[in-house]
Amino acid sequence: MYARRRHAYFLLMGGCLVLFVSAWAFVRLWSVPVAVGMCVVAMVIPPLAAVVANRRGPEDRWWDDPSGDPQSDEWWDELDGKRKPGSGPRQ
């Protein structure tokens, strides 16, 4: 799923660059207000692309899921206060 988010990010950022470059390369020759509007739209795309790229999908592992390493999971459970130190392995 990382690849799908990465492709979406690069597609959005590529669109942003196309809008910005085309606005000042040739659209400004016909209409400066349209070129400014294209730049405003291009300005909104990067934050949107960052949100899309960092969004968690339904099949992605979340930060508090068990990692599969019993020692690491036991250590994190102790730090999170889910169990007391030295109470044995997690069931």
Side-chain angles (χ1 to χ4, degrees):
M1 293 305 113
Y2 172 71
R4 184 178 306 163
R5 290 190 317 237
R6 188 176 58 192
H7 289 278
Y9 174 79
F10 284 118
L11 182 69
L12 284 167
M13 291 305 289
C16 176
L17 288 174
V18 167
L19 279 172
F20 185 75
V21 170
S22 65
W24 296 112
F26 56 88
V27 173
R28 70 176 170 86
L29 300 173
W30 290 286
S31 173
V32 172
V34 171
V36 170
M38 289 172 67
C39 286
V40 168
V41 171
M43 178 181 69
V44 173
I45 293 175
L48 177 66
V51 169
V52 167
N54 291 311
R55 186 181 55 150
R56 179 177 77 97
E59 61 280 339
D60 290 341
R61 212 176 139 266
W62 193 232
W63 66 275
D64 60 350
D65 284 345
S67 67
D69 177 21
Q71 185 177 8
S72 175
D73 291 340
E74 181 180 336
W75 184 70
W76 280 108
D77 285 347
E78 181 180 325
L79 284 177
D80 291 339
K82 292 181 182 175
R83 33 176 237 94
K84 295 180 181 175
S87 65
R90 200 170 89 182
Q91 297 297 325

